[in-house]
Amino acid sequence: MLEQLSFVTSVLTVAGIYAILALGLNVHWGETGLLNFGHVAFFAVGAYTTALLTIAAPTATQAYSFGFGLPIPVGILGGILAAGVVAVLLGVPTLQLSEEYLAIVSIGLAEILRYGMMNENWLTGGVAGIYGVGRPLRGIVPGELYDLFYLGLVLAAVALCWAYSRRLKRSPFGRVLRSIRDDEEAAVALGKNTFQYRMQAFVVGAMMAGLAGALWAHYATALTPTAFGASITFLTWVALIVGGSGNAGGAILGAGLIISFREATRYLPDLYGLGDIIPTLRLMLVGVLVVVAIRYRPEGLLPERNISYAEYCRRLDYGGD
Amino acid sequence: MVSFDPQFLVNGVIVGSTIALAAIGLTLIFGVLDFINFAHGEYLTLGAYAAFVANVTLGLPFVVAAVLAIPVTVAIALALDRVVFYPLRRQGVGGLALLITSVGLSMILRNGIETVWTSDNLRYSISGAESVSVLGVRITAVQVAIVVVSLVLMVAIHLLLTRTVLGISMRATASNRSLALSSGVNAEGIVTWTWVIGAGLTAIAGVLIGLNTVIRPSMGFGLLLVMFAAVILGGIGDPYGAMLGGLAIGIAQEVSVAFISSAYKPAVAFTIMVVLLLWKPEGLRGGEA
Amino acid sequence: MTDALLEVTDLHKYFGGITAVDGFDMTVEENSITGLIGPNGAGKTTVFRTISGFHDPDDGEVVFDGEDITGAPIHEVVDAGITRTFQEARTFPSMTVFENLLVGRTGHRGETLTAATAGSRTYSEDERAAIEHADQLLEYMGLEDSRDQRADELAVGERKLLEIARALMTEPELILLDEPMAGLPADVTEDVVEYIERIREERDQTFLIVEHDMDTIMALCDSITVMEAGRTIASGTPREIRNDETVVEAYLGEESA
């Protein structure tokens, strides 16, 4: 019983982290129409930044050179901010161009970052990575309950990101984002500074991914470059498309479904002697899911909802008619 | 720091000419079908594996296997278009839905290949891999063949694009779709031929790359970024630009090894691409963005 | 004689080897409905795009309400008081009619990320004003019944009216209508014409219209400028234009081409 609970807890924790990733991607794609295929880059930046900020200064035998021993909240905040900075750097050249260019360049960035992680030992510990990342309140929360505690932490972060997404969507700012998503030139013709809006949306979504990364770092306690491959970006996209792009609840639902599916099928190994090919079969299935979803239900399980006139008035206690 | 070595240049031409072939296919498909095909790398991989099956599994001579790889890959590309992309085109969905679909497709193809052949590095059974030294540069007979074949194909494509009605229509559609369509170009016919030529060239590129290095499931996907860089460098929809772009990127990557760690080779392609997008998004050859 | 609201003098615009606008002049009087016509390829759309800031002119001057806005960026042109519409009624398809109008509102200080993060209380005043404004225009343009409908679910005529309403949200002094009747059935054209006239009358608006539909132009406009091969060849009242020889020739030339 305890084993099952532990399993469920870990699946939900990972699902929660992916939910935050998906919420960030939803701000990019769902709200603003930004084709970001390098989302894992912000995730990695968040993870490594908090790791470097919070671990102890390295001994002579360790490959990496930094470790500031700062408190974990500082690390997490640092991870969020670092992801935002990277978003600004990436956004400046690409957000002025059409969506396809962001798609291509964002993949490139994520890959370059990964190469950097693998090779720049002085910064990231290279292929061996960074170990011994601390866990918040480790000494205070009793061992058996710790995983549940951390799950609670992650779910709180999910709730925070969800609430913020909703707030953005209902705001005048969110309206402008949607107008840019629908028809950028028409938005420009109304006098909107579309580059600035896209950049801000890009930074917000990236910071959410940075938060997800930071939470991951303190959960996994060990970071290696192989954990930050393109499949994270891909799974986040699938989660968003299946769950419902343009809908914060859809992003969370999608993440929950995709991760549950992935974990549920992870331990199927030796049925029918298929053991070896299960990993690739699972990934193929995910690909099939994307193709089918776009074809038959592109709006996802929880489609985007328009805000009605009545709702706008109600939010402001406006008389209406 | 290593002083300049013509070896890098030669390696660059070898690698670059194969990238050029694949990039031509990518740019034509983007120009004519108006979407960025993220599964394009998989046609490269399919070509390489098709030739492998013919050559190693079925024991056919390499050249025969290489030639056979083309119709096999083209058939698969056409079938995929019919089953996956065509219904979406008919629905009138935009390039972005097609793009995301192609990402899913690439997932299916790549992992499908890995399911069957595992992630082992495979090689063709062929001789001629001994290198000789010519003017202080090491090169193998196989590598010479790669460059020759690539150049011959590029010339052939040039003739096709300039001397045949099909080629001219394809170029017109690739550079200005709406104008070409309103001048009476047969859309679906062009689409079919674009897949044939695009996938065919990419399949050969896959065989050549598998010949020059190894065959593995991620080989095409791993080069996707580089192919995109070549396409952007040359201008989207411009096949000559893709040729030049591919060669330029190949050379730049190999020469960069003299200055920075070889692990960063793709970073070179990426940096070139970003610099270009900032400075001249329509590509070095100019024309419409 | 009323003051000219918009004065375009000796405008030039080149694209690579092509001269699209080659010494174009035009005056738009305040509170008028002015038409800009000319054979295909005369350069009308380029002129529009240059005035509204989508292109930078290579030479010439654009003066609006006494202010030199030559080459000004689009948002500055909108701030100055010129708003343009598009040929294909480019409303925001996934947004409701009401939202389309709301997003057109200029000077909404709540439209920032900071305001959004801080919460609706910080921008309630501006939002209230925007809602009131949009409400009023909904009623004026007869769109209240569709206010919660997505713009892509509207009939083409309603979309056209929505686009004009959205332009009105920017509180312009001059509205540039780019081929407003393009693709519209006859009964809808009548509606749109009626609204343009009403808006001009009741809201003291000025319009500059590019159009191919001769009947509409002749009936609607107070003054017409005719363009051919990048420059002005005639300008005056509809009657004067109808009888102008150079104009007739320009169009006859187009017919026989």
Side-chain angles (χ1 to χ4, degrees), chain A residues 127-207:
Chain A
V127 177
I130 297 178
Y131 285 82
V133 180
R135 297 188 123 196
L137 301 183
R138 194 29 155 173
I140 302 178
V141 176
E144 323 84 65
L145 293 178
Y146 191 80
D147 285 338
L148 272 177
F149 160 72
Y150 204 81
L151 173 62
L153 207 63
V154 169
L155 291 180
V158 173
L160 186 70
C161 291
W162 175 79
Y164 188 57
S165 298
R166 272 179 48 121
R167 182 176 277 209
L168 285 185
K169 175 174 172 147
R170 283 158 167 66
S171 69
F173 175 79
R175 273 199 305 263
V176 179
L177 290 185
R178 283 197 297 285
S179 73
I180 293 173
R181 180 193 69 185
D182 276 5
D183 191 335
E184 193 186 355
E185 209 183 24
V188 169
L190 291 173
K192 311 295 181 196
N193 182 349
T194 56
F195 174 70
Q196 197 178 70
Y197 280 98
R198 289 170 102 196
M199 176 63 94
Q200 287 173 345
F202 198 47
V203 169
V204 168
M207 284 175 31

Side-chain angles (χ1 to χ4, degrees), chain A residues 72-116:
Chain A
I72 288 178
V74 174
I76 295 182
L77 191 64
I80 296 173
L81 291 176
V85 168
V86 170
V88 173
L89 293 175
L90 177 62
V92 164
T94 55
L95 291 180
Q96 319 196 55
L97 307 167
S98 68
E99 293 96 15
E100 295 106 354
Y101 288 124
L102 178 61
I104 301 171
V105 173
S106 58
I107 298 183
L109 176 81
E111 282 301 287
I112 299 310
L113 223 78
R114 212 164 54 84
Y115 284 109

Side-chain angles (χ1 to χ4, degrees), chain A residues 35 37 93 97 100-101 104-105 107-109 112 115-116 119-120 234 241 277 280 283-284 287-288 290-291 294-295, chain B residues 36 38 87 91 96 99-101 103-104 107-108 111-112 114-115 225 228 236 263-264 266-267 270 273 277-278 281:
Chain A
L35 258 187
F37 278 128
L97 307 167
E100 295 106 354
Y101 288 124
I104 301 171
V105 173
I107 298 183
L109 176 81
I112 299 310
Y115 284 109
N119 292 294
E120 302 304 316
F234 182 66
I241 290 173
I277 63 171
T280 47
L283 289 172
M284 275 181 79
V288 170
V290 170
V291 174
I294 293 281
R295 176 90 165 81
Chain B
I36 295 188
F38 269 75
Q91 256 177 39
L96 296 178
L99 192 155
I100 297 176
T101 303
V103 173
M107 207 67 184
I108 298 172
N111 285 285
E114 190 172 330
T115 303
L225 179 68
F228 280 137
I236 294 184
Y264 281 112
F270 172 64
M273 191 167 66
L277 286 176
L278 283 180

Side-chain angles (χ1 to χ4, degrees), chain B residues 80-104:
Chain B
L80 287 173
D81 181 57
R82 197 67 181 70
V83 169
V84 178
F85 294 123
Y86 174 68
L88 289 176
R89 273 206 300 280
R90 268 225 320 220
Q91 256 177 39
V93 300
L96 296 178
L98 291 168
L99 192 155
I100 297 176
T101 303
S102 73
V103 173

Side-chain angles (χ1 to χ4, degrees), chain A residues 277-301:
Chain A
I277 63 171
I278 293 275
T280 47
L281 271 184
R282 282 160 66 220
L283 289 172
M284 275 181 79
L285 218 65
V286 173
V288 170
L289 196 60
V290 170
V291 174
V292 166
I294 293 281
R295 176 90 165 81
Y296 296 107
R297 203 178 161 97
E299 69 275 15
L301 289 169

